[in-house]
Amino acid sequence: MRGRHRLRTAVASVAAAVLCVGAPAGCAAPAPDAVAPTVRATPRPAPLWDRSPASVAAVGDSITRAFDACEVLADCPEVSWATGTDATVNSLALRLLGPERVTRQSWNLARTGARMADLPGQMERAAAVKPELVTVMMGANDACRSSAALMTPVEEFRAAFASAMARLRAKAPKAQVYVSSVPDLQRLWSQGRVSPMGLEVWKLGICPSMLADAQDLSVTAERRRTLVRDRVVAYNAALKEVCAKDPRCRYDGGAVFGFRFDGGQLSPWDWFHPSRDGQARLAEIAHRQVTAPEPPA
């Protein structure tokens, strides 16, 4: 019996040796439990939009120059919604930079009477100061012409805005851009037409395409005003479209167009441009949009 046991043991040992020799990796001892490789989380890229930019350049027209906000027929940039220093308005730049830096790190490059065709040149001047944020409010003068027939065509408006963005990017590729929608000019007409002073001032030629014959409620007059409003809506669509192609551009989602200015927020001298209070409302809208975690829809 012992002999048979020794024989079986020997045969088993030889068989095991033969199998191990034939195996591709031999018969190494079992490895201990494998340790899972360390998985390192990929760091999230820094967001393209900085909600607290350190410098602001403003481009645009008379609204950004705060025309007729302090005195008749005069710019008053100290109360501008974009870069003003007046504490009662509390401009976008004042909110972002504080009173110590606002005069050194903000620039108002807007011009009263400017149209979208003027924006590329303004953008070049803005790019030269290397701002972290550029504010754009332009388009009211493209709709406010001596007649509705002379309003800037939408394609020209869109092309000029795209050109302005391209000029900015050529010299300031990382500058952020906040784009305000064009105000609802028909809303301004509906507010000012109840003011005897507003009616008299408008006769001097303020935005004739919308405000001429302000008390005329005929079908022809209403059709003209609707045509102007529709053009403003189309301008805002063009602003949104061009801005959407640039990852560092934010359109306000129609916030300014939708804002319901009342009599107290319009200049007492022309019942058209924003008053100090109107400028403050524009500053609130801009600050809300610029500091939002996500861009407006």
Side-chain angles (χ1 to χ4, degrees), residues 168-199:
L168 176 70
R169 289 289 167 247
K171 295 182 179 179
K174 294 185 179 180
Q176 298 176 171
V177 183
Y178 163 71
V179 180
S180 167
S181 50
V182 182
D184 186 349
L185 302 179
Q186 192 169 37
R187 170 70 184 172
L188 299 182
W189 165 78
S190 69
Q191 285 295 304
R193 62 183 290 267
V194 301
S195 165
M197 178 176 290
L199 292 173

Side-chain angles (χ1 to χ4, degrees), residues 38-117:
T38 302
V39 178
R40 295 183 179 180
T42 303
R44 298 180 64 181
L48 289 177
W49 188 265
D50 181 0
R51 295 160 61 189
S52 55
S55 55
V56 180
V59 295
D61 55 27
S62 56
I63 296 178
T64 299
R65 293 295 298 174
F67 182 80
D68 269 3
C70 300
E71 56 183 304
V72 65
L73 299 179
D75 290 347
C76 190
E78 59 268 28
V79 302
S80 167
W81 67 271
T83 58
T85 56
D86 186 277
T88 60
V89 171
N90 201 11
S91 72
L92 174 64
L94 190 57
R95 295 167 193 245
L96 293 174
L97 308 177
E100 297 80 14
R101 295 187 296 158
V102 67
T103 56
R104 292 182 287 105
Q105 293 172 236
S106 68
W107 306 268
N108 192 322
L109 304 173
R111 181 178 63 82
T112 293
R115 297 199 292 267
M116 186 56 77

